[in-house]
Amino acid sequence: MRTVPLVGGPVELRGALDLEVTEAGVMPRRLPAWTKEQYQDPSVHGVTLMPSGVRLVFRTDARELEFEVLTSTGQLDTDPAPRPTGMLDLLVDGAPAGRRQAPLGNVLRMAAPGAAQRLIPGEPGTVRFTGLPAGMKSIELWLPQQTPTELVALRADGEVLAPLPDGRRRWVHHGSSLSHCIEADGPTGTWPVVAAGLGGAEVINLSQAGNAVLDPYIARTIRDMPADLISLKVGINIVSLAAFRLRTFGPAVHGFLDTIRDGHPDTPLLLVSPVSCPAFDETPGPATTGPDGKVIALGDPADVAGGALSLAVVRAELARIVAARQAHDPHLHHLDGRELLGPDETDDLPDGLHPTAAAYHRMGERFAAHAFTPDGPFR
């Protein structure tokens, strides 16, 4: 086995916009380094380190690969075990070729969600993929979408070369936890990855679980990066955090779109409204969790008349904004999120908010059937 450099060599790290050097190796981040000074909430940093959509890409004639990583997963003091570390998925020439459990490394203990964390240090672990096909082949090694993962070492028993251009269009997507897809069965089971595979695109997933609230630094990041296709899934965090009123929501959406258009004036851009979520469809946030583990909306439906936002209001406002802007922006498109997961499928929301792994697959298939068809916005 020979050690392959993870940085400065033939391996491309796709889906990450920054690399933090750590004592163990390097940690991918899904936002540029300059964004760190623009937020204070530690949850933003945490979800940015969760490598949803991040993968190592290269070519090799190796029959065996070893990948050494150091994961960091959380554990509540009341839980008997740390949260699952997730999976590492291997694709060979675009086809699934193996899935391995990510090894348990660091554990971050906390008394309650969002409380101060106590680090219990762990050690790097190694996963192996053996019996790979003979000959030169394209490799994609996908990191667990829900677990910060430091890259320590990559080893192969053959030659490793840089990937060749494949002509796929680059699709940049931003959304909430329902696009981050922590609950998916693995990193290639998130709905943006499923849709990208069906649509022949290469997705960059900038989704921020719990933090999709039209932050300007996200818009500037998208503005400044290469993109052939762009999609934004907007609304659930804005309602669940009670982040805006109707008066401020519309201008914030316009400003977010204006910033992206400064860098991508003609790029197809699909604005997706929220999927069905009974707790918030007619009731404003903020949100809490009930004793049964399901999400509850704490707002008063009567306050909608005064400007509070429910998902129904957000859907109507997004449709209105797109219709108004299409007069001068023919490359802007709208999709009602209920076409991805509708009101008759809410049994697929175990906590009342987040879809099951199977539902994420369906969402990816439906998005691809809408966006990547000959008449679709990503045609």
Side-chain angles (χ1 to χ4, degrees):
M1 302 291 284
R2 66 182 69 175
T3 299
V4 182
L6 291 166
V7 178
V11 176
E12 288 188 12
L13 187 64
R14 298 181 182 172
L17 303 186
D18 182 34
L19 283 177
E20 292 185 0
V21 177
T22 67
E23 291 185 4
V26 291
M27 175 81 84
R29 291 183 70 252
R30 292 184 298 116
L31 286 178
W34 64 263
T35 62
K36 292 181 190 177
E37 65 184 31
Q38 303 227 348
Y39 54 79
Q40 294 180 335
D41 192 323
S43 71
V44 179
H45 184 68
V47 297
T48 300
L49 293 179
M50 295 179 183
S52 186
V54 178
R55 63 273 191 197
L56 285 72
V57 184
F58 54 93
R59 291 180 296 140
T60 185
D61 59 3
R63 305 296 301 275
E64 181 175 344
L65 297 172
E66 291 183 351
F67 189 41
E68 190 174 351
V69 298
L70 177 61
T71 59
S72 296
T73 192
Q75 181 180 2
L76 295 177
D77 290 341
T78 54
D79 290 343
R83 294 170 186 161
T85 53
M87 297 292 174
L88 292 158
D89 283 355
L90 182 73
L91 270 58
V92 175
D93 291 331
R99 171 172 282 181
R100 302 287 185 271
Q101 182 78 42
L104 181 66
N106 297 326
V107 176
L108 302 173
R109 295 289 298 268
M110 63 197 86
Q117 298 175 337
R118 310 186 307 278
L119 172 65
I120 301 175
E123 296 294 330
T126 300
V127 295
R128 295 176 178 84
F129 296 93
T130 61
L132 303 184
M136 192 62 65
K137 48 202 166 284
S138 297
I139 298 291
E140 296 180 33
L141 185 58
W142 293 72
L143 305 183
Q145 76 275 10
Q146 74 271 54
T147 306
T149 303
E150 297 173 63
L151 314 180
V152 179
L154 174 65
R155 293 179 284 270
D157 67 349
E159 187 176 15
V160 174
L161 303 175
L164 296 174
D166 58 16
R168 289 183 293 173
R169 292 178 295 170
R170 192 182 213 218
W171 167 30
V172 176
H173 177 72
H174 172 62
S176 67
S177 60
L178 277 71
S179 296
H180 189 141
C181 304
I182 288 173
E183 300 79 15
D185 55 10
T188 57
T190 69
W191 77 256
V193 174
V194 171
L198 294 171
E202 181 173 78
V203 67
I204 307 297
N205 192 353
L206 302 184
S207 299
Q208 304 277 290
N211 287 282
V213 290
L214 300 174
D215 286 308
Y217 56 80
I218 298 286
R220 291 196 295 274
T221 294
I222 298 172
R223 177 195 65 190
D224 295 340
M225 63 190 297
D228 301 302
L229 310 164
I230 300 169
S231 58
L232 309 170
K233 195 169 181 305
V234 174
I236 184 62
N237 291 154
I238 286 166
V239 173
S240 66
L241 296 173
F244 290 93
R245 306 282 288 185
L246 182 60
R247 163 63 181 84
T248 54
F249 176 61
V253 173
H254 279 291
F256 202 87
L257 293 173
D258 287 344
T259 298
I260 292 174
R261 282 306 192 211
D262 286 342
H264 302 282
D266 301 318
T267 301
L269 197 163
L270 178 58
L271 186 61
V272 186
S273 67
V275 304
S276 292
C277 178
F280 298 108
D281 277 337
E282 303 294 339
T283 304
T288 189
T289 302
D292 60 354
K294 292 194 173 185
V295 68
I296 299 172
L298 298 177
D300 182 355
D303 194 24
V304 169
L309 296 179
S310 67
L311 294 185
V313 173
V314 166
R315 292 189 192 105
E317 184 68 359
L318 292 176
R320 184 194 67 78
I321 289 171
V322 171
R325 293 178 66 105
Q326 282 176 331
H328 58 82
D329 187 352
H331 302 288
L332 178 65
H333 307 272
H334 174 259
L335 172 63
D336 188 319
R338 292 171 295 185
E339 295 188 27
L340 301 181
L341 193 147
D344 59 340
E345 298 174 291
T346 54
D347 286 345
D348 289 323
L349 306 174
D351 64 354
L353 176 61
H354 298 100
T356 62
Y360 279 132
H361 275 269
R362 288 202 309 275
M363 289 173 64
E365 292 165 357
R366 291 170 180 175
F367 185 94
H370 173 83
F372 290 102
T373 57
D375 295 327
F378 289 175
R379 59 187 177 275

